Amino acid sequence: MSVSAITKTFPLEDGRTITLETGRLAKQADGSVVVKMGDTMLLATVVSAKEPKLGQDFFPLSVDYKEKYAATGKFPGGFFKREARPSDYEILISRLVDRALRPLFPDDYMNETQVLITLISGEKDTAPDALAALAASTALTLSDIPFNGPISEVRVARINGEYKINPGIEESGEAELDLIVAASIDNIMMVEGEMKEVSEDVMLEAIAKAHEAIKVQCQAQLELAERAHVDVNEKREFEITEDDEELKKDISGATYDKVYQVAKSFIKNKNERSETFKKIREEYKEKFSEEELEEKEDLIHKYFGEIHKKAIRNMILDEKVRLDSRKLDEIRDIWCEVDYLPSAHGSAIFTRGETQSLVTTTLGTKLNEQTIDGAVFEGTSAFMLHYNFPPFSTGEAKMLRGTSRREVGHGNLAMRALKSILPDETENPYTIRVVSDVLESNGSSSMASVCGGTLSLMDAGVKIRKPVSGIAMGMISDAETGKYAILSDILGDEDHLGDMDFKVTGTKDGITACQMDIKVDGLSFEVLKEALDQAKKGRLHILGEMAKTITEPRDDYKPQVPRIEKMFVDKEFIGAIIGPGGKTIQELQKETDTTIIIEEEGDMGVIDISQKIKNQSTRLRPESKALLQFLKLEKFTMAR
């Protein structure tokens, strides 16, 4: 017996179609949908607990994207041959969807909610990340879970001067701009992507194009719900904590002015400022008995937090000055140093205010390339950037439990910022790994990683085309008065209490990557353009500060860096060089103390010979008689 499904199909500009289907799979979930484009299919389900856990004061939302290897006819790697921990790609998609959905749940909704998105069928040239948020939002829209959607995400790419929505994977490789944009029918909510030094105007135009496509996808979700006889305005009732208006008014009267004055006193040290605010709260609590505190302490903390946020926001809007006395567009003091670690291939310290990153660069051979083996994407990567955020960077003691999603996301953003300025393989035969260890954090640590990464690469002698810097922008706005303030180089406090977190990286000539989360409705493109223009001014200032330390890559690599020579030989000689069972090449490596890697490219064999040298002025010159004999053959030619 077949089960009929309810569907809604809508076209993309290039004639491809996307189909939303519900009523056939996973019907015991609160909401479920299958999204199909071509042969790619995603199943999204959402389930939310009927009641919150006792005493829970936060919203426990989990969003997970998973790929089934069977979806593309592949076996998982590893010993167990089954899907295990999520890959970085799966984590990044999960974060994209989470950031788009999370702001749209009611503030008082505390019920545990789980969104699962699964790739159940995949085709080679369709990237599933552009469909994941559409699937998740549709499942929520069809459910009775309180949700102020629908929303959707699309990929927008600029290819040969034209914008394309959800292009194929091969096409995206040719793009000068590649963005994922999330939005509702009315508002842009999230932007993330990479560019090849495009202008601010080009980026704004791409966001506008994406929003037009998203409006169509949101309307399709509403039409599917109507066909499924779901009233999107009828959601389950949930318990709302009643406010103690008398207590709230009393706290406001007793603490608002004090918080405002402390904010206006411009305490620059983060911990000192935090302790001063905390002292105001604790002094207020002294008026209550232990019995009263046992009943009211949680509410006191909640209301004081709201008053603290309101007072600081008003101070910034009224005084046009920041918590640390900076002007709205002023950048914190910067100091940099390179070549700090004597044994590393490249190293740099980048410090901006109370945020500090120690960044290292390591150069290796093709054997060090990262293998990518996903259900859709496979291959190798010769450039890696890893971001670490230890708890001591914020003065905390926490258990170390592996790499967090946040660390994966920030590392990916910094990697995208830098990869477009790296030299091509003819200039750089190395595999590159950059690691940013955040040693202090008070906002904008991912952007410190970008700046430190640039310095570290130059210190290592990597011939980058141009330096890149990054800046985190914020915004505070008041809908009633129409006041707003755009903040350059935000503090951690300003990120927490602000309405926007907008990270922009680039060279002096254009933007290379961005990440934006908007927490307020109705952000106009005019304000967004103002933020981008202010970000450019800050970015150029930071590049100028970095140039005081190092302006261009070192002329030569450091002594501890392995030297690589590249040889091209006729394909017919490869077998002779390798020898029976690899005997010849193994002897060559042993006698010359080198690593020899041979690959085929067309009719030629490419040989990479890597060797650590003792003297910086010495070039790689293998002295093995056997290898010299090969080099003397007329069919062999050397190339740097």
Side-chain angles (χ1 to χ4, degrees):
M1 180 183 74
S2 62
V3 177
S4 60
I6 302 164
T7 63
K8 168 63 183 177
T9 299
F10 58 91
L12 296 176
E13 290 180 351
D14 60 3
R16 293 175 298 164
T17 60
I18 296 176
T19 299
L20 310 178
E21 175 191 291
T22 191
R24 181 175 292 182
L25 303 184
K27 291 187 288 183
Q28 292 191 43
D30 289 331
S32 68
V33 70
V34 172
V35 174
K36 182 176 181 181
M37 186 170 80
D39 290 338
T40 292
M41 298 170 68
L42 296 176
L43 168 66
T45 61
V46 58
V47 176
S48 189
K50 304 301 181 186
E51 301 289 340
K53 291 181 180 178
L54 190 64
Q56 187 167 269
D57 61 352
F58 65 96
F59 177 40
L61 171 68
S62 62
V63 179
D64 290 282
Y65 168 81
K66 291 290 292 179
E67 293 183 340
K68 299 294 184 182
Y69 277 76
T72 53
K74 295 174 65 177
F75 278 83
F79 180 78
F80 294 103
K81 295 298 179 188
R82 68 175 298 163
E83 290 83 3
R85 65 175 297 276
S87 66
D88 283 0
Y89 179 68
E90 290 169 313
I91 289 171
L92 293 169
I93 295 178
S94 300
R95 277 175 52 85
L96 285 173
V97 178
D98 186 303
R99 286 160 49 206
L101 296 181
R102 190 174 292 273
L104 296 174
F105 291 90
D107 291 339
D108 291 310
Y109 192 65
M110 304 296 173
N111 301 20
E112 184 171 1
T113 303
Q114 185 179 51
V115 178
L116 296 178
I117 310 149
T118 308
L119 178 71
I120 55 176
S121 177
E123 62 180 334
K124 194 171 184 180
D125 198 41
T126 299
D129 54 4
L131 303 173
L134 169 62
S137 174
T138 307
L140 282 162
T141 300
L142 293 169
S143 75
D144 67 344
I145 298 168
F147 175 66
N148 299 319
I151 59 100
S152 191
E153 286 178 353
V154 299
R155 166 175 274 107
V156 56
R158 192 169 191 257
I159 304 169
N160 298 323
E162 295 184 0
Y163 296 98
K164 184 160 185 179
I165 301 298
N166 293 353
I169 294 172
E170 288 188 13
E171 278 186 302
S172 294
E174 303 170 4
E176 61 175 324
L177 173 147
D178 184 359
L179 292 179
I180 292 280
V181 179
S184 64
I185 290 176
D186 299 316
N187 298 302
I188 300 293
M189 301 175 59
M190 191 275 301
V191 179
E192 180 161 334
E194 60 187 83
M195 290 133 277
K196 295 177 181 177
E197 297 181 278
V198 305
S199 69
E200 286 74 11
D201 289 338
V202 167
M203 181 175 160
L204 285 172
E205 189 177 358
I207 294 173
K209 292 283 186 184
H211 197 196
E212 291 304 313
I214 287 170
K215 291 176 182 178
V216 174
Q217 299 191 3
C218 291
Q219 188 59 42
Q221 295 176 55
L222 296 174
E223 291 178 18
L224 179 68
E226 186 178 353
R227 291 183 185 183
H229 306 292
V230 172
D231 186 344
V232 295
N233 297 312
E234 276 192 20
K235 298 295 184 180
R236 70 176 67 166
E237 295 184 358
F238 60 96
E239 185 177 345
I240 299 176
T241 304
E242 291 188 11
D243 282 334
D244 186 334
E245 295 296 340
E246 185 177 341
L247 177 63
K248 182 187 287 190
K249 185 177 180 180
D250 187 62
I251 295 175
S252 180
T255 65
Y256 178 88
D257 289 340
K258 292 180 180 179
V259 172
Y260 192 101
Q261 289 305 315
V262 169
K264 196 177 174 181
S265 66
F266 310 132
I267 302 171
K268 294 193 175 185
N269 182 275
K270 176 180 74 169
N271 293 329
E272 184 182 344
R273 186 169 61 242
S274 177
E275 287 300 316
T276 306
F277 286 131
K278 183 180 176 181
K279 185 178 179 181
I280 296 173
R281 186 190 68 195
E282 295 305 307
E283 286 177 350
Y284 175 79
K285 287 163 60 176
E286 289 175 0
K287 66 188 289 186
F288 297 96
S289 66
E290 288 188 12
E291 292 77 13
E292 288 174 319
L293 273 181
E294 189 172 337
E295 178 187 349
K296 297 182 177 182
E297 188 169 27
D298 288 344
L299 281 177
I300 291 172
H301 283 223
K302 176 185 175 183
Y303 296 151
F304 180 79
E306 294 172 358
I307 291 158
H308 170 263
K309 181 176 180 178
K310 181 180 179 181
I312 296 175
R313 287 169 62 92
N314 287 343
M315 189 278 294
I316 294 173
L317 288 171
D318 295 341
E319 311 291 339
K320 299 297 181 184
V321 70
R322 319 268 288 275
L323 282 169
D324 57 358
S325 78
R326 282 184 292 149
K327 297 176 183 177
L328 300 183
D329 62 350
E330 188 176 349
I331 312 300
R332 289 173 287 179
D333 291 339
I334 293 171
W335 70 266
C336 315
E337 184 176 336
V338 295
D339 201 20
Y340 181 71
L341 304 176
S343 296
H345 294 174
S347 64
I349 303 170
F350 181 86
T351 307
R352 178 167 49 200
E354 294 179 300
T355 296
Q356 183 180 75
S357 179
L358 173 63
V359 188
T360 56
T361 294
T362 307
L363 305 179
T365 68
K366 283 186 175 292
L367 295 177
N368 301 117
E369 288 184 344
Q370 182 182 22
T371 301
I372 300 169
D373 182 25
V376 177
F377 292 95
E378 57 184 1
T380 58
S381 174
F383 177 53
M384 295 155 269
L385 194 151
H386 297 144
Y387 167 99
N388 298 313
F389 193 84
F392 66 77
S393 65
T394 54
E396 297 175 283
K398 292 181 180 178
M399 290 290 291
L400 296 178
R401 300 188 181 277
T403 307
S404 68
R405 285 187 172 194
R406 178 180 177 277
E407 288 173 309
V408 172
H410 280 21
N412 179 259
L413 174 62
M415 181 274 292
R416 288 176 151 189
L418 294 174
K419 77 174 189 178
S420 66
I421 53 94
L422 293 175
D424 60 29
E425 192 176 355
T426 58
E427 293 181 86
N428 173 65
Y430 293 98
T431 297
I432 302 173
R433 180 180 184 237
V434 175
V435 179
S436 172
D437 291 299
V438 178
L439 306 184
E440 293 181 56
S441 179
N442 185 11
S444 198
S445 59
S446 62
M447 298 297 91
S449 301
V450 172
C451 300
T454 294
L455 297 171
S456 178
L457 285 165
M458 289 196 287
D459 181 55
V462 177
K463 303 300 184 288
I464 63 172
R465 294 189 299 105
K466 299 171 189 174
V468 173
S469 70
I471 186 169
M473 307 295 296
M475 185 184 73
I476 293 170
S477 62
D478 186 335
E480 293 182 5
T481 64
K483 291 181 179 179
Y484 69 91
I486 297 172
L487 313 178
S488 296
D489 182 26
I490 56 176
L491 303 169
D493 286 343
E494 292 169 339
D495 184 8
H496 171 70
L497 58 85
D499 299 321
M500 178 180 74
D501 178 15
F502 193 2
K503 301 179 179 74
V504 188
T505 74
T507 68
K508 62 182 178 64
D509 296 318
I511 301 170
T512 59
C514 73
Q515 184 183 89
M516 177 174 68
D517 292 296
I518 300 171
K519 311 166 194 175
V520 65
D521 291 341
L523 180 67
S524 68
F525 275 87
E526 289 75 19
V527 174
L528 191 54
K529 185 179 190 313
E530 186 178 338
L532 277 169
D533 290 340
Q534 191 167 313
K536 181 179 181 180
K537 178 183 173 184
R539 196 176 78 230
L540 295 176
H541 168 79
I542 295 165
L543 283 171
E545 294 299 303
M546 292 163 59
K548 294 176 182 178
T549 301
I550 186 170
T551 58
E552 57 186 23
R554 295 188 184 279
D555 292 334
D556 200 1
Y557 303 112
K558 296 183 181 180
Q560 60 267 35
V561 175
R563 300 306 168 107
I564 296 178
E565 293 285 355
K566 192 179 289 288
M567 290 173 49
F568 296 88
V569 302
D570 285 347
K571 202 172 182 178
E572 61 186 276
F573 287 96
I574 292 178
I577 296 172
I578 295 173
K583 182 179 179 182
T584 304
I585 197 169
Q586 289 175 16
E587 288 180 356
L588 288 172
Q589 291 181 99
K590 184 178 179 181
E591 291 178 24
T592 59
D593 192 24
T594 59
T595 299
I596 302 175
I597 304 166
I598 303 179
E599 294 182 318
E600 294 183 14
E601 287 186 11
D603 295 330
M604 301 296 291
V606 182
I607 305 176
D608 282 329
I609 306 172
S610 170
Q611 182 181 53
K612 288 192 176 182
I613 61 176
K614 298 177 181 179
N615 189 305
Q616 189 168 353
S617 63
T618 305
R619 291 292 181 185
L620 174 65
R621 290 187 175 86
E623 296 177 357
S624 163
K625 291 182 180 179
L627 188 54
L628 285 172
Q629 185 176 353
F630 277 118
L631 294 177
K632 288 177 182 177
L633 291 174
E634 292 182 3
K635 299 241 179 185
F636 286 29
T637 56
M638 286 292 293
R640 280 294 294 172

